């Protein structure tokens, strides 16, 4: 029985359409810069918010109407939910999905029961992937919901909790591998601290590094070559998360010899919670050759918490796509909607509206970014701004042919630096607006 009988496959109808169940901009087959939109954007639906989100918040219980879900933690309900999820993803036309182990299968009374539950649900995931052609973008383990992880998982003060987390990640990597996952994400969850009065930060960080090395070793052992990602986030649930932003993650990866195996999975509202723009975070990662994947949800700048909203801001999606394209576009990663419909949007149809809107917002961002790139003014003004480094003194400095002494000599001869040129910020912003 279908869960969404009133919805058929979402068609592309173009910008003149007013059909709420049609794409206005996302046309999977359409080529942009010689690559289809499907391949540029690699859209992914998350299992946790979309199929497990209840709409509860700190002030009240869930509101979502999900008639297919019997509300129990039974394995049967979990398996049935998989079929509903794939009906949804298939009708939407998203090529990928992502999950945490505990979203798809219930935690059992013991570790072995939890493992068995996950394997049993993975059988259905595998079947449904084959039936629909939907692929797994990445898998991950939920190392934050169970009360045992109250002090963290890989950074717990309790060595056996670290052991449980390791066992859970081992199984999650196995299942991700079995399902052909193109990546595996580590989001720190409770890897951080609330107070230094009870925290040995140096030791906790060393444990986290050990944990990630073990994961990399195990992936190698079983032949899982999917990309590993760290997902930076500055707060929630802890006050100080160890993986607070792109720069902190890169520093951690370099310090512990993990940089080659890991890239970053960047999320817009995590960037803004860290006091950065998404464009900044993407560029920090890109410049370090670590731009892997994005969680495309946004926050609300007037609410200081992680609201996980669907992206609708074309200026933001344009910036995201411009930066992704600057660094060669997505390869193993995707545009993953780690987003949830609002508590008030409880109707199953809202799941379609939300994803269609997010996909169209990114498709528009892609087309606008391509137009800006084809126009070339932005790029040439940027290049021009640094032209003093292309030859003469600038080129010599870049080539390492100068010291403070030779530069002093050079400037003594000249007397002063050449006058600066304008930064032209307003003009550049006007040019971007021409394309919106
Ligand atoms: C939490 C968050 C996670 C990760 C996966 O804010 O974004 O859902 O994406 O664990
Ligand atoms: Co996320």
């Amino acid at each position: 029985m279908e869960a969404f009988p009133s919805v058929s496959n979402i068609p592309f109808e173009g910008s003149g359409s007013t059909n709420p169940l049609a794409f206005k901009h996302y046309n999977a087959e359409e080529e942009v810069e010689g690559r289809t939109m499907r391949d540029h954007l690699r859209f992914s639906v998350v299992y946790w918010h979309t199929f497990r989100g209840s709409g509860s918040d700190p002030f009240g219980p869930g509101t979502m109407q999900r008639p297919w879900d019997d509300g129990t933690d039974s394995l049967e309900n979990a398996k049935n939910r998989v079929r509903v999820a794939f009906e949804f993803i298939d009708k939407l036309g998203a090529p990928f999905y992502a999950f945490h182990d505990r979203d798809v299968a219930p935690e059992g009374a013991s570790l072995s029961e939890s493992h068995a539950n996950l394997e049993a649900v993975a059988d259905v995931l595998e079947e449904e992937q084959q039936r629909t052609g939907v692929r797994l973008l990445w898998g991950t383990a939920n190392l934050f919901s169970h009360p045992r992880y109250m002090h963290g998982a890989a950074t717990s003060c309790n060595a056996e909790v670290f052991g449980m987390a390791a066992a859970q990640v081992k199984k999650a990597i196995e299942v991700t591998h079995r399902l052909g996952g193109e990546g595996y994400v580590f989001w720190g969850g409770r890897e951080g601290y609330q107070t230094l009065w009870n925290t040995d930060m140096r030791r906790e960080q060393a444990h986290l590094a050990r944990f990630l090395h073990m994961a990399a070793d195990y992936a190698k052992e079983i032949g899982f070559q999917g990309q590993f990602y760290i997902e930076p986030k500055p707060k929630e649930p802890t006050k100080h998360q160890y993986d607070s932003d792109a720069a902190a993650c890169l520093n951690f990866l370099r310090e512990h010899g993990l940089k080659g195996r890991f890239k970053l999975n960047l999320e817009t509202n995590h960037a803004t919670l860290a006091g950065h723009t998404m464009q900044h975070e993407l560029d920090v990662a890109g410049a370090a050759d670590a731009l892997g994947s994005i969680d495309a949800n946004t926050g609300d700048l007037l609410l200081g918490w992680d609201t996980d909203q669907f992206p609708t801001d074309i200026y933001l999606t344009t910036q995201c796509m411009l930066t992704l394209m600057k660094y060669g576009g997505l390869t193993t990663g995707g545009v993953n909607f780690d987003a949830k419909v609002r508590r008030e949007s409880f109707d199953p149809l809202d799941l379609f509206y939300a994803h269609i809107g997010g996909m169209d917002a990114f498709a528009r961002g892609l087309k606008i970014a391509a137009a800006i790139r084809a126009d070339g003014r932005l790029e040439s003004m940027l290049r021009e701004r640094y032209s003093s480094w292309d030859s003469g003194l600038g080129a010599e400095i870049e080539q390492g042919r100068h010291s403070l002494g030779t530069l002093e000599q050079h400037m003594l001869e000249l007397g002063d630096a050449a006058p600066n040129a304008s930064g032209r910020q307003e003009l550049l912003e006007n040019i971007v607006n021409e394309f919106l």
Side-chain angles (χ1 to χ4, degrees):
M1 215 183 80
E2 284 182 295
F4 307 97
S6 67
V7 183
S8 38
N9 290 356
I10 304 299
F12 168 71
E13 291 185 358
S15 57
S17 170
T18 56
N19 176 2
L21 289 171
F23 293 115
K24 319 296 183 296
H25 297 277
Y26 179 60
N27 182 8
E29 302 307 332
E30 186 178 326
E31 291 202 358
V32 176
E33 294 192 9
R35 194 176 175 197
T36 61
M37 284 199 179
R38 181 188 291 107
D39 289 347
H40 267 289
L41 294 162
R42 296 170 57 87
F43 286 126
S44 165
V45 172
V46 303
Y47 207 94
W48 51 101
H49 291 313
T50 299
F51 303 105
R52 302 310 311 275
S54 67
S56 66
D57 73 7
F59 304 94
T63 55
M64 295 299 151
Q65 292 178 1
R66 301 291 182 250
W68 57 83
D69 200 305
D70 68 15
T72 69
D73 243 353
S74 77
L75 204 50
E76 259 333 286
N77 192 31
K79 289 181 179 176
N80 186 49
R81 208 187 275 124
V82 172
R83 297 187 187 101
V84 173
F86 278 78
E87 180 194 331
F88 175 84
I89 302 165
D90 190 36
K91 284 182 169 172
L92 182 67
F96 292 102
Y97 75 110
F99 68 80
H100 299 85
D101 50 358
R102 300 296 180 251
D103 316 323
V104 291
E107 174 121 14
S110 64
L111 179 62
S112 59
E113 205 178 297
S114 298
H115 278 358
N117 287 349
L118 183 54
E119 291 286 3
V121 175
D123 290 343
V124 190
L125 289 167
E126 196 167 15
E127 258 171 56
E128 288 294 286
Q129 285 185 210
Q130 269 157 17
R131 183 182 68 77
T132 59
V134 171
R135 291 182 285 156
L136 176 60
L137 186 69
W138 47 262
T140 187
N142 178 329
L143 304 177
F144 43 90
S145 293
H146 193 284
R148 83 171 66 85
Y149 297 124
M150 63 172 68
H151 300 299
T155 63
S156 176
C157 48
N158 178 335
E160 287 181 0
V161 169
F162 182 106
M164 280 297 278
Q168 210 180 309
V169 163
K170 176 176 177 287
K171 178 56 68 184
I173 292 174
E174 282 165 21
V175 169
T176 299
H177 183 38
R178 166 180 165 195
L179 296 174
E182 302 200 7
Y184 186 91
V185 164
F186 293 84
W187 165 56
R190 296 181 194 275
E191 314 296 24
Y193 67 91
Q194 306 287 9
T195 172
L196 276 176
W197 298 131
N198 68 12
T199 302
D200 185 338
M201 181 157 64
R202 184 178 182 156
R203 203 165 183 183
E204 289 199 357
Q205 291 199 334
H207 294 166
L208 180 58
R210 179 99 310 279
F211 192 88
L212 297 177
H213 273 292
M214 286 186 209
D217 290 347
Y218 186 63
K220 195 168 180 186
E221 189 183 320
I222 63 172
F224 174 61
Q225 287 172 352
Q227 179 63 50
F228 274 170
Y229 306 100
I230 292 203
E231 183 176 324
K233 181 174 179 180
K235 46 188 149 188
E236 290 183 31
T238 72
K239 184 159 70 174
H240 297 280
Q241 299 273 137
Y242 293 135
D243 47 8
S244 56
D245 66 1
C249 288
L250 288 168
N251 182 55
F252 178 85
L253 292 173
R254 288 193 188 102
E255 181 179 348
H256 297 283
L258 290 156
K259 170 102 189 330
R261 187 63 179 91
F262 285 77
K263 288 188 172 175
L264 302 183
N265 178 41
L266 296 165
E267 180 166 318
T268 303
N269 49 319
H270 296 179
T272 47
L273 288 173
H276 301 306
T277 60
M278 181 61 161
Q279 196 183 15
H280 167 88
E281 290 292 84
L282 289 166
D283 216 61
V284 168
D289 222 2
L291 180 45
S293 197
I294 67 174
D295 276 5
N297 42 305
T298 57
D300 184 320
L301 292 178
L302 300 185
L303 298 172
W305 49 294
D306 191 6
T307 53
D308 285 327
Q309 289 170 229
F310 280 86
T312 55
D313 178 351
I314 313 293
Y315 205 82
L316 169 71
T317 59
T318 299
Q319 290 174 321
C320 288
M321 292 317 299
L322 266 176
T323 314
L324 284 169
M325 290 158 96
K326 170 176 165 185
Y327 290 106
L330 293 166
T331 52
T332 55
V335 174
N336 181 51
F337 294 110
D338 184 3
K340 54 182 179 240
V341 289
R342 297 305 85 195
R343 188 167 188 269
E344 303 84 345
S345 307
F346 52 79
D347 184 324
L349 267 185
D350 291 310
L351 295 173
F352 278 100
Y353 298 146
H355 283 87
I356 289 169
M359 289 162 80
D360 267 344
F362 263 88
R364 273 181 91 174
L366 167 63
K367 288 191 283 187
I368 294 165
I372 290 172
R373 284 158 60 87
D375 171 79
R377 269 176 293 165
L378 229 55
E379 173 60 25
S380 76
M381 286 175 72
L382 181 68
R383 232 181 304 115
E384 178 57 28
R385 187 159 185 250
Y386 290 88
S387 57
S388 70
W389 294 88
D390 293 338
S391 59
L393 181 70
E396 287 165 24
I397 297 172
E398 283 193 352
Q399 289 155 14
R401 288 160 53 197
H402 274 284
S403 64
L404 292 185
T406 62
L407 285 171
E408 181 192 39
Q409 193 51 44
H410 188 87
M411 297 320 297
L412 282 170
E413 279 160 27
L414 285 180
D416 199 355
N420 277 313
S422 167
R424 300 273 187 246
Q425 179 172 333
E426 298 77 7
L427 173 58
L428 289 160
E429 288 164 347
N430 296 349
I431 293 174
V432 171
N433 279 357
E434 281 178 33
F435 295 87
L436 289 175

